[in-house]
Amino acid sequence: MYNSTKAIVLSKVKYGDNDLIVKCYTETDGLVSYFLRGVLNSKAKRKQLAYYQLLGILEIIEYSKANSELKFIREVKPLGHFHSLHSNVIKGSVVMFLAEMLSSVLREEEQNSQLFQYLETSINWLEQEDHFSNFHLLFLLNLTKFLGFYPETTNIGDATSFDLETGRFVIKSNSRYVIEGENFHILKALLGINFDVLNDIKINANQRQSFLKMLLLYYQLHLGNFRNPRSLEIFNQVFHT
């Protein structure tokens, strides 16, 4: 039985000499891994490799086989034409970093249309936008809505700090994971905004790197087995030079 779905590419791994396993987040089934048999040694199939670039958005006709946890692709075509995502070196580093983050934190094997729509809209915004220095910060912050630990804003008006451990704005806390100062004010500025007004938030390179470090700690505190992406060092070198 065949099924048609949109899919966002999160990772791809060579399997054997000629095969590829591509992990995608799909509109109909959440996280799915596809087995691409012989794609590396077939001239006809090799032309499709360009479709499977990180964070590429595809339309896939898929099918399953008995006794296989992986799915297979009968037909594939790209949705939209992404140029800057993979030709711009700085955007490319953002894509590599965020794809690894998503591959690590998304584990749902069921439909979540709101999450898929968020990912699709965000990727399209990044492709079209020339000023994207703070994109990854807002992207990761908003992603916590779907992961279950978006900051609780009940006391945001009176708060003087934010407790990363509880995810709450507080006046006083004995937690070792309380943030104040610049990171606290940047967090407040980013909450509740969308990408269209993101460039109104002025953050310099040092502040951006500090806030990202804080966000990754926030993920680690709320996702027990989370580890910083291996691409983080390259991302920091490219993005903050």
Side-chain angles (χ1 to χ4, degrees):
M1 181 176 177
Y2 297 108
N3 174 58
S4 177
T5 183
K6 290 182 181 179
I8 296 171
V9 179
L10 302 184
S11 69
K12 52 187 177 183
V13 178
K14 187 178 179 182
Y15 184 83
D17 293 329
N18 303 313
D19 307 325
L20 207 62
I21 295 176
V22 177
K23 182 160 68 173
C24 296
Y25 194 80
T26 70
E27 186 175 33
T28 58
D29 296 300
L31 202 62
V32 175
S33 291
Y34 295 100
F35 186 70
L36 277 58
R37 186 183 301 278
V39 72
L40 300 177
N41 72 340
S42 165
K43 183 176 292 186
K45 292 182 178 180
R46 199 181 298 128
K47 293 179 180 178
Q48 296 182 358
L49 284 177
Y51 297 163
Y52 299 103
Q53 297 193 73
L54 295 179
L55 299 191
I57 303 175
L58 309 173
E59 184 174 351
I60 286 173
I61 297 179
E62 62 178 24
Y63 64 98
S64 304
K65 289 185 178 180
N67 303 320
S68 176
E69 295 182 359
L70 301 174
K71 290 190 176 184
F72 299 81
I73 295 175
R74 184 188 185 194
E75 296 179 21
V76 59
K77 66 178 181 180
L79 291 176
H81 298 284
F82 294 120
H83 300 293
S84 67
L85 282 188
H86 305 111
S87 62
N88 181 302
V89 173
I90 300 177
K91 274 192 185 180
S93 69
V94 175
V95 166
M96 180 172 63
F97 171 69
L98 293 182
E100 189 177 355
M101 283 287 296
L102 291 169
S103 188
S104 172
V105 304
L106 297 183
R107 301 183 178 92
E108 296 180 352
E109 295 182 355
E110 58 185 27
Q111 184 181 39
N112 188 331
S113 56
Q114 289 184 322
L115 173 54
F116 185 89
Q117 184 178 16
Y118 171 68
L119 298 178
E120 183 179 31
T121 300
S122 301
I123 293 166
N124 281 317
W125 186 92
L126 180 59
E127 163 64 26
Q128 297 165 11
E129 183 59 39
D130 293 327
H131 305 286
F132 53 90
S133 297
N134 302 324
F135 169 81
H136 59 293
L137 304 181
L138 184 58
F139 178 88
L140 291 176
L141 180 60
N142 285 343
L143 184 63
T144 64
K145 293 178 183 177
F146 304 97
L147 300 176
F149 54 97
Y150 189 70
E152 167 61 57
T153 60
T154 302
N155 300 318
I156 192 171
D158 299 321
T160 57
S161 56
F162 179 75
D163 189 334
L164 293 173
E165 203 165 21
T166 64
R168 297 176 180 272
F169 285 90
V170 295
I171 298 175
K172 291 183 180 179
S173 174
N174 295 322
S175 171
R176 57 185 287 200
Y177 298 110
V178 167
I179 63 163
E180 300 173 324
E182 288 183 339
N183 281 339
F184 172 74
H185 293 296
I186 293 171
L187 176 61
K188 288 181 65 175
L190 291 177
L191 286 171
I193 70 169
N194 58 39
F195 290 113
D196 290 338
V197 297
L198 180 58
N199 292 324
D200 294 336
I201 309 296
K202 304 304 178 185
I203 307 174
N204 64 40
N206 290 333
Q207 292 171 329
R208 194 175 298 119
Q209 196 158 10
S210 175
F211 190 81
L212 176 59
K213 184 178 180 181
M214 182 214 74
L215 268 181
L216 294 177
L217 175 59
Y218 189 46
Y219 270 69
Q220 187 174 351
L221 290 171
H222 291 269
L223 300 173
N225 57 354
F226 174 78
R227 297 292 180 269
N228 283 347
R230 290 175 294 177
S231 59
L232 178 61
E233 184 177 355
I234 296 174
F235 173 74
N236 281 334
Q237 289 174 353
V238 173
F239 197 74
H240 297 285
T241 52

